[in-house]
Amino acid sequence: MRKQIDYLRLHYPALYSQLIQFSMVFRRKNKTITIFSGYGGDFKLYMYNHEMEPKVAQLKAGLDEYSIRTVDVVVTRLLNYPNRDFNVTIKNDFSNVIGGLLEEETKENNKLVTQALKRILREVKFSSYNMDASVFYYDHGLKYLPDQVKEYIRDSDFLDLGAYSGDSAIALNKYNYRKIYSVEMSEKAIQNFKVNLKRNNIESSKYQIIRAAVTDTDKNEPIYFSDNTYSIYSDKLTDEKNAKYEVPQRSVDSLVSEYKFQPKFIKADIEGFGLECVKGAVQTLKKNRPVLSLAIYHNPYEFFETKPFLESILNNYTFMIRKMAITPFGLRCHAETFLLAYPNEIIPGN
């Protein structure tokens, strides 16, 4: 069955998408809200064990008004909704979501973005089921940033951490990257990546695929898989003896040094390793002063500690926080929350 499904997805994406959407109708009848807890840290335990008032204040320091609103909404939900593994069903609708709705989550914006994604789907050859708004509509947050920022990264090298099956490489091609260095640990995802970029007429000279798991150092032991998977925290992880696949753990600094490129835009959505990622990228960040789009929703260390760490090593940067999911339901009550950053010298007068 798995082979037949993969065949449909690769060769008949429209039919595959229709079948997936049909099956999702039944899942969406009960709009529940839950919190990540198995991706490198439990939010509730973290908030119980730390003095949270200074943590939240430090996270909000220097942010624009809407970023502060986003932090307040997400933190309120993290405190009040149950972890997914509690198996508690809490029914919600748009009128009673704790913390209220962000602009991205309103019915009006949901409809607007959904229509836009349908138009994009006519231009981009990609599964509509995997056509996430954060990637194809918000461009990993670039849509929020000033035009000067977009010009700053144009025609430069991009670093795509957590490349998945090529969605970011396809969506970001509009910024005319010189070359995108795409880091992914799943062999299955890499195979799909190559197929998808070919289908979208992106030449192989425009990308470099690197199979690795990104962390803060090259000294960690490899990660072992019993099968292909997309997530570091999947139950497909195993020990070396029973492993079918072995993936090295690498730091950003070592990858940039080995492949000899200078990224001006770095996107990272790596299943909870966002904080480790920036700790292993200090040299690259200081030297190249890239624009950043970093997923911070998987665990509390990403969410509360990534921005303070970056502020400790980078001078004269503007930070923003945006949640780019167009629904507040399910895990998306806090998923797709990203930390955006750019060097102030890009904007004259800053």
Side-chain angles (χ1 to χ4, degrees), residues 123-126 136 166 170 173 194-203:
E123 303 170 4
V124 173
K125 295 181 177 65
F126 202 78
F136 286 98
I170 294 167
N173 191 41
K194 293 176 181 178
V195 170
N196 285 326
L197 264 66
K198 184 176 182 179
R199 292 177 68 225
N200 284 276
N201 299 314
I202 298 177
E203 298 290 334

Side-chain angles (χ1 to χ4, degrees), residues 69-87:
R69 162 73 175 148
T70 302
V71 170
D72 286 338
V73 167
V74 171
V75 170
T76 300
R77 293 175 183 175
L78 293 172
L79 285 167
N80 286 280
Y81 283 108
N83 289 349
R84 177 170 57 174
D85 55 9
F86 288 176
N87 293 318

Side-chain angles (χ1 to χ4, degrees), residues 266-268 274 277-278 292-296 306 310 337-340:
I266 298 177
K267 161 256 166 178
C277 168
V278 295
L292 303 173
S293 175
L294 309 173
I296 58 170
T306 301
L310 288 171
T337 301
F338 276 72
L339 175 66
L340 309 173

